[in-house]
């Protein structure tokens, strides 16, 4: 099998190769099964240690093998036994000589080495037809912003705040989520559709593909429930990623994907060729 290599620049040159023995690695690794039954999980550096609590192998794969400046969704991981989704682990990995955990791509390469060593993981990448959501316009279409002048990109940010917080005026080009106990509001002025997609992608289990061919600036003001699954309406594409998607039973508390239709946008299930990470083999690790 041909190795795939990514050249990463971070003050020095480093080759990160799938299946390569030259990847950097942690000096000491502890892996234990987490049987708490909790839904909470976390992962991050703590000085010279990388600590992951209550994480699944799929979560580790999405972190370790995501492309630079991109994301790897669960739907893009193909193969592997059921336990890769259901078994949870506590992992503590220490760097050599108490050096601080390096940032970015170096840490991902080290986690890849950890998975190859402790989980006997072997993977490869290939292009496959995978489920996606195509973003299109509704018949009504989005509300155009009165001012189509390009906004200041330095202010074109996505922010999340709580209801009751003191809010500064929202700049043109910015998108704000205001969260409350049961509902959330999404507000933006003079934003491109790409900004809406960026926010939706964080709530979606599939890659969102812009099929709108719409390039004008729009205004958005919608409200949706936090208590319902963020699933778009309409027929879905059968497959393993459908687990966890529920029917919307209360029309007065729409999900985010339903409420976004009020902004003149719609997500339709489809398929597209995407890069997939294929699990060739993997084993449950022994605890230590």
């Amino acid at each position: 099998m041909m190795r795939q290599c990514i050249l990463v620049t971070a003050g020095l040159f480093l080759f990160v190769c799938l299946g390569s023995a030259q990847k950097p690695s942690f000096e000491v690794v502890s892996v234990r099964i987490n049987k708490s039954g909790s839904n909470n999980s976390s992962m991050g550096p703590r000085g010279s240690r990388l600590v992951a609590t209550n994480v699944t192998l799929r979560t580790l794969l999405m972190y370790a093998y995501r492309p630079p400046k991109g994301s790897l969704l669960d739907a893009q991981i193909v193969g592997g036994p059921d336990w890769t989704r259901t078994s949870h682990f506590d992992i503590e990995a220490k760097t050599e000589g108490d050096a601080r955990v390096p940032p970015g791509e170096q840490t991902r390469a080290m986690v890849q080495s950890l998975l190859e060593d402790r989980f006997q993981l072997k993977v490869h990448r290939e292009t496959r037809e995978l489920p996606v959501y195509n973003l299109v316009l509704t018949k009504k279409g989005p509300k155009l912003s009165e001012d189509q002048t390009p906004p200041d990109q330095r202010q074109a940010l996505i922010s999340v705040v709580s209801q009751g917080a003191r809010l500064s005026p929202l700049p043109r080009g910015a998108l704000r989520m205001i969260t409350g106990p049961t509902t959330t509001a999404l507000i933006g002025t003079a934003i491109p559709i790409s900004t809406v997609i960026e926010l939706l992608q964080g709530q979606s289990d599939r890659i969102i593909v812009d099929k709108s061919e719409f390039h004008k600036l729009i205004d958005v003001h919608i409200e949706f429930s936090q208590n319902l699954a963020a699933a778009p309406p309409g027929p879905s594409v059968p497959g393993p990623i459908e687990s966890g998607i529920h029917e919307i039973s209360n029309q007065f508390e729409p999900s985010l994907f339903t409420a976004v239709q009020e902004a003149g946008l719609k997500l339709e299930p489809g398929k597209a060729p995407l890069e997939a990470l294929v699990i060739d083999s993997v084993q449950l690790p022994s605890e230590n």
Side-chain angles (χ1 to χ4, degrees), residues 120-134:
Q120 299 299 298
L121 176 71
K122 294 182 180 179
V123 297
H124 72 276
R125 299 185 193 270
E126 64 181 55
T127 299
R128 290 197 176 190
E129 286 283 322
L130 296 176
V132 298
Y133 291 129
N134 294 319

Side-chain angles (χ1 to χ4, degrees), residues 86-126:
T86 59
S87 295
H88 292 73
F89 303 92
D90 294 336
I91 297 175
E92 187 169 318
K94 178 184 170 299
T95 60
E96 184 176 0
D98 292 327
R100 295 185 67 86
V101 174
E105 298 307 315
Q106 282 183 273
T107 303
R108 296 190 217 289
M110 294 169 76
V111 175
Q112 290 179 24
S113 296
L114 184 159
L115 296 174
E116 292 165 4
D117 178 44
R118 296 304 302 273
F119 290 79
Q120 299 299 298
L121 176 71
K122 294 182 180 179
V123 297
H124 72 276
R125 299 185 193 270
E126 64 181 55

Side-chain angles (χ1 to χ4, degrees), residues 140-279:
K140 176 180 116 175
K143 178 183 177 183
L144 293 180
S145 178
E146 292 184 2
D147 184 356
Q148 289 292 311
T149 305
D152 185 347
Q153 290 302 306
R154 293 173 296 179
Q155 297 180 327
L157 304 174
I158 296 176
S159 60
V160 181
V161 298
S162 300
Q163 283 183 5
R166 296 185 64 180
L167 302 177
S168 58
L170 191 63
R172 295 178 69 254
L175 195 61
R176 177 182 287 162
M177 288 184 68
I178 305 175
T179 62
T182 60
T183 60
T184 292
L186 181 63
I187 302 171
T189 302
I191 59 173
I193 284 183
S194 60
T195 300
V196 180
I197 291 177
E198 183 179 350
L199 185 142
L200 289 174
Q201 190 64 78
Q203 310 290 322
S204 174
D205 59 347
R206 306 182 186 183
I207 294 290
I208 296 175
V209 180
D210 187 0
K211 295 284 189 178
S212 68
E213 298 183 354
F214 189 84
H215 306 292
K216 294 185 178 181
L217 302 176
I218 64 174
D219 295 343
V220 176
H221 190 158
I222 59 175
E223 293 187 8
F224 55 94
S225 171
Q226 293 182 346
N227 300 324
L228 299 175
S236 58
V237 179
I241 69 168
E242 294 304 318
S243 60
I245 292 182
H246 309 286
E247 292 183 0
I248 297 170
S249 58
N250 188 335
Q251 62 177 331
F252 300 107
E253 292 185 333
S255 73
L256 170 57
F257 281 13
T258 302
V260 80
Q261 292 189 48
E262 298 176 21
L265 307 173
K266 185 178 181 181
L267 293 167
E268 296 182 339
K271 285 192 174 184
L274 298 175
E275 184 177 78
L277 184 73
V278 181
I279 300 175

